Amino acid sequence: MRRINQRLALAIAVATASTFAPMARADAVTDWNIRANDIIAEARINTPLANRVLAIFHTSIYEAANRISGRYPAVAFKGEAAAGASIDAAVAAAGRASLSDLLPAQQAAIDRGYQTAISSVSAGPERDAGISVGERAAAFVLAQRAMDGANVVESYRPHTTPGSYVPTTLPAVPQWPQRTPWLMTSQSQFRPGAPPALASEQWARDYNEVKSLGAKSGSTRTAEQTEIAKFWEATLPTIYHGVVRSVAEQPMRNVTQNARLFAAVTQAADDAVIAVFDAKYHYGFWRPITAIRNGDQDGNDATTRDPSWTPFIDTPMHPEYPCAHCIIAATVGTVVQYELGHGPTPKLQTASYTVDGATRSWTAIEDFIQEVSAARIYDGVHYRSSTEAGMAMGRQIGTLSATRHFGMP
């Protein structure tokens, strides 16, 4: 979850355009989702912040759309009557207002997106009313989240002894566990138990698996596993939102329904990031590159040190346990599964900016979730126990979101 470079930002836009341009857009919500992800890529913000931006963005859109359609009970923004207002105009206005506040440096791109969206709505009182609803909905949500802790000053204290050198790159968002969740009662509500004890057989299993599968050179990965590893090196929300759009773009869905789906997904994903960083900084567990280069110091005879071992991809700059990709995949997958209910699962597809827009697809949600978890082992940055803990957390958070938004028991 590190800052992406300009090449990757460009690749996101290319991937989005090449993968989704030929498809008919379901509605204004999915259109704006694509625009917002492109704008986030251009802004080059980190993954935790991107999840927060999209949660506020999609919640604003949902509140606006639902205020007009009245399809679902109003649980937050109620405002004045909005009969006859244009939902598409409200979606456009809510999107612009929220992004303008959160990413002011991207105002030109935001305005271009807004003009494209609003130009498809006929001028008149219905459009004006929709714009008013959208702007007020965004203002309401932004005010709610203004003090959520995202702006707490980072104050991570590196572990060292006086005079001893330690690597000087600071870890990612150590302040994130202080943020106010959308859905959870606390940041630690779903904190898992501790990682495996270093003297255990489970630790030896985890250690030797990632040492073999996740190495940059001399790995036992198959060609397909390497392809999967490269694909899931991408961490920005766009890689998950392609999966969500696979559902949102199905026939017979409407704007408010899709607005609710994206709000449920993005709020849950933002909570998942809060929860996973709470656990990461609570346990402070070492990454494979640290463990394997110190394999003679873990007290386990079944782990052999490799002094020059490196992972397949660069190790993210935050503690290992639990797996962040895994919690988000399971969170998104769980929300999508609840949305589909007992109906058929459409072909799920998304593109990755780390492989120049290549796509992967799945016919079952569980296959998608399990692939993400396996990829982080193939990448050499996570242990199996960590992926399992992340998936378990994600299922809980996804269920919580579905209960809140879909009325599930």
Side-chain angles (χ1 to χ4, degrees):
M1 287 190 171
R2 56 194 181 278
R3 191 177 296 274
I4 62 171
N5 62 31
Q6 188 172 11
R7 181 183 65 82
L8 293 189
L10 177 61
I12 294 174
V14 172
T16 300
S18 63
T19 303
F20 298 105
M23 299 174 64
R25 298 286 182 254
D27 52 39
V29 171
T30 52
D31 278 348
W32 254 116
N33 173 260
I34 292 171
R35 289 190 190 99
N37 275 293
D38 287 347
I39 289 166
I40 284 170
E42 293 168 4
R44 300 175 65 187
I45 61 177
N46 64 34
T47 298
L49 183 55
N51 276 286
R52 177 180 183 265
V53 167
L54 284 164
I56 293 172
F57 168 82
H58 273 296
T59 300
S60 300
I61 285 175
Y62 171 54
E63 294 289 357
N66 193 51
R67 179 69 193 108
I68 295 171
S69 71
R71 183 180 176 94
Y72 306 109
V75 295
F77 172 64
K78 295 178 181 176
E80 61 191 53
S86 165
I87 290 182
D88 284 1
V91 167
R96 179 182 63 170
S98 56
L99 290 178
S100 296
D101 183 88
L102 297 167
L103 300 173
Q106 304 306 118
Q107 193 62 56
I110 295 166
D111 288 342
R112 286 194 299 272
Y114 174 75
Q115 290 303 324
T116 299
I118 204 67
S119 65
S120 66
V121 183
S122 299
E126 292 83 4
R127 186 172 81 169
D128 294 343
I131 291 171
S132 176
V133 171
E135 290 176 345
R136 288 186 287 110
F140 173 83
V141 175
L142 287 163
Q144 280 194 318
R145 302 305 297 180
M147 302 300 291
D148 70 355
N151 295 322
V152 171
V153 176
E154 176 276 317
S155 58
Y156 178 81
R157 184 171 183 168
H159 299 281
T160 187
T161 56
S164 297
Y165 170 79
V166 295
T168 52
T169 301
L170 290 172
V173 292
Q175 76 276 25
W176 232 237
Q178 300 175 53
R179 286 191 55 219
T180 302
W182 293 84
L183 306 162
M184 298 184 298
T185 56
S186 72
Q187 300 90 338
S188 62
Q189 182 178 354
F190 299 114
R191 185 189 292 168
L198 299 183
S200 68
E201 291 184 6
Q202 186 178 6
W203 166 246
R205 178 206 71 176
D206 286 354
Y207 177 105
N208 288 309
E209 181 182 38
V210 71
K211 181 182 179 184
S212 175
L213 283 173
K216 189 169 187 176
S217 59
S219 170
T220 59
R221 285 187 310 274
T222 65
E224 182 182 13
Q225 288 170 337
T226 297
E227 180 180 304
I228 290 170
K230 290 179 179 178
F231 189 92
W232 288 106
E233 187 178 357
T235 61
L236 283 175
T238 184
I239 198 165
Y240 291 105
H241 288 192
V243 173
V244 182
R245 286 194 298 269
S246 298
V247 175
E249 293 179 336
Q250 293 303 300
M252 307 303 293
R253 293 183 62 88
N254 65 55
V255 175
T256 309
Q257 187 179 18
N258 282 340
R260 184 183 70 158
L261 172 60
F262 273 104
V265 165
T266 54
Q267 287 183 16
D270 196 23
D271 269 17
V273 177
I274 294 171
V276 82
F277 276 101
D278 165 80
K280 282 177 178 291
Y281 286 108
H282 177 77
Y283 290 114
F285 200 58
W286 57 0
R287 289 281 185 172
I289 188 171
T290 309
I292 294 169
R293 290 186 177 218
N294 291 280
D296 57 340
Q297 297 182 16
D298 64 4
N300 194 318
D301 293 337
T303 60
T304 303
R305 176 179 185 248
D306 183 340
S308 59
W309 188 90
T310 54
F312 182 57
I313 67 169
D314 292 340
T315 298
M317 283 302 299
H318 46 79
E320 187 276 334
Y321 180 86
C323 166
H325 241 333
C326 308
I327 189 175
I328 295 177
T331 296
V332 171
T334 299
V335 174
V336 167
Q337 185 63 75
Y338 275 112
E339 175 77 346
L340 293 171
H342 298 294
T345 300
K347 179 182 178 181
L348 306 174
Q349 179 174 303
T350 195
S352 171
Y353 55 85
T354 52
V355 286
D356 297 324
T359 62
R360 291 187 64 81
S361 61
W362 308 267
T363 56
I365 292 171
E366 186 63 22
D367 291 345
F368 149 69
I369 295 171
Q370 292 293 335
E371 178 177 299
V372 175
S373 294
R376 301 312 271 172
I377 299 170
Y378 305 153
D379 281 329
V381 298
H382 279 295
Y383 313 105
R384 184 165 298 279
S385 294
S386 182
T387 70
E388 292 168 348
M391 285 189 289
M393 293 173 73
R395 296 185 204 284
Q396 291 174 299
I397 294 170
T399 298
L400 180 63
S401 184
T403 301
R404 176 75 58 84
H405 289 287
F406 306 156
M408 299 299 179

